[in-house]
Amino acid sequence: MPDRTPIVGGNWKMNTTSETAASLAAGLAADLAGISGCDVVVYPPFPYLAAVSGPLREVGIAIGVQDFYPATSGAFTGEIGMEMLTDLGVRTVLVGHSERRHVIREPEDLIAEKTRTGLEAGLDVTLCVGETLEEREAGQTDAVNLRQLRSGLADVPATVLDRLVVAYEPVWAIGTGRTATPEDAESAHLAIRKGLEDLYDEMSAKSVRIQYGGSVKANNATALFEQPNIDGGLIGGASLKTDEFLAIVQAAAGPAS
Ligand code: PGA
């Protein structure tokens, strides 16, 4: 089986100010220096990206963006294009986060375009999928995840999958303090991995990392990350506290870190 290095993302969402972003970045850089056995990506808000990149990159933390527009540059008022990402040295993008799907009402075809264009341009793309509470209660969890996976990966060739991460984030678990049980999360991850195998092949499916997201905290991270198909986490609220985030990264990295 391919070795999958766990990956932990810290999604700051629309939080922090220039001052708190700088002190959070300085704290993370100090705490996470020397961590091994886990890839770490931080997604700051755009206005603070340039300011916080330096200290984070110095200790090997990758900088990602929470969203982007799938064009190089041009007449797209209010958007951030791929030339700007390259200019800022950003190599990682989040696509299809639940808040963009459900709050900002981003449609599935735009999510698919962002995934394909980002991967084609050489970016690392984390494609987020996940069911609402209503869908879970109707027994639709796997069907929804597989639909979002298929649609998000439309026209994405197997040759770029080494730069794809899938994040399973049940909508009802995000920011609610309600986490999926490790067993429920593992079952959804396994279904997603089988979905990747159906879309591509067994080797590709086994190589793609699948993160869990939704109220991951220091006290529940280990039980989630111990599951065989959970390859780290995408962290919202707890990524704004250095000690919590460090403990989550350590849980993913394992005892050797
Ligand atoms: P949360 O957010 O950890 O605050 O639940 C997770 C996410 O939205 O990625």
Side-chain angles (χ1 to χ4, degrees):
M1 189 166 110
D3 246 356
R4 294 188 299 266
T5 303
I7 177 165
V8 172
N11 175 9
W12 295 1
K13 307 193 179 181
M14 201 173 72
N15 294 303
T16 67
T17 60
S18 47
E19 201 181 313
T20 59
S23 70
L24 182 56
L28 290 177
D31 281 354
L32 290 170
I35 285 271
S36 61
C38 177
D39 292 340
V40 182
V41 188
V42 165
Y43 302 89
F46 279 117
Y48 311 132
L49 199 140
V52 303
S53 294
L56 293 174
R57 283 199 183 116
E58 242 169 61
V59 296
I61 300 173
I63 300 294
V65 292
Q66 301 170 21
D67 185 37
F68 73 108
Y69 192 76
T72 307
S73 60
F76 301 100
T77 300
E79 296 296 323
I80 309 287
M82 291 191 297
E83 191 174 80
M84 294 167 184
L85 300 186
T86 309
D87 185 36
L88 290 168
V90 170
R91 295 198 24 87
T92 309
V93 295
L94 273 187
V95 175
H97 187 276
S98 145
E99 284 138 24
R100 298 209 61 84
R101 287 181 193 267
H102 298 286
V103 182
I104 294 153
R105 292 193 272 278
E106 196 166 298
E108 286 198 6
D109 57 348
L110 181 55
I111 291 167
E113 199 184 330
K114 288 180 180 183
T115 307
R116 181 180 50 74
T117 312
L119 287 167
E120 265 170 12
L123 296 168
D124 295 338
V125 173
T126 294
L127 171 66
C128 307
V129 301
E131 83 287 359
T132 63
L133 186 57
E134 212 180 13
E135 290 163 339
R136 168 161 285 262
E137 285 171 349
Q140 295 292 307
T141 298
D142 291 343
V144 169
N145 288 334
L146 294 179
R147 190 198 71 228
Q148 292 179 353
L149 188 76
R150 268 193 299 271
S151 132
L153 294 177
D155 302 321
V156 168
T159 48
V160 296
L161 290 183
D162 57 329
R163 283 184 284 98
L164 175 78
V165 171
V166 176
Y168 167 58
E169 299 205 295
V171 180
W172 49 270
I174 297 178
T176 58
R178 225 185 125 183
T179 318
T181 63
E183 296 70 29
D184 283 350
E186 169 63 15
S187 151
H189 281 232
L190 190 60
I192 291 168
R193 203 171 296 289
K194 289 214 173 98
L196 287 168
E197 187 175 334
D198 291 344
L199 284 173
Y200 297 97
D201 55 77
E202 191 186 351
M203 194 47 114
S204 307
K206 283 189 170 157
S207 305
V208 172
R209 293 178 290 183
I210 308 177
Q211 292 176 302
Y212 169 80
S215 298
V216 178
K217 308 279 181 237
N219 64 9
N220 58 25
T222 303
L224 287 159
F225 299 163
E226 274 171 2
Q227 299 298 316
N229 283 289
I230 301 185
D231 308 310
L234 184 54
I235 320 302
S239 73
L240 297 168
K241 298 177 195 138
T242 48
D243 51 344
E244 277 276 314
F245 193 64
L246 171 68
I248 293 168
V249 171
Q250 278 170 334
S257 68

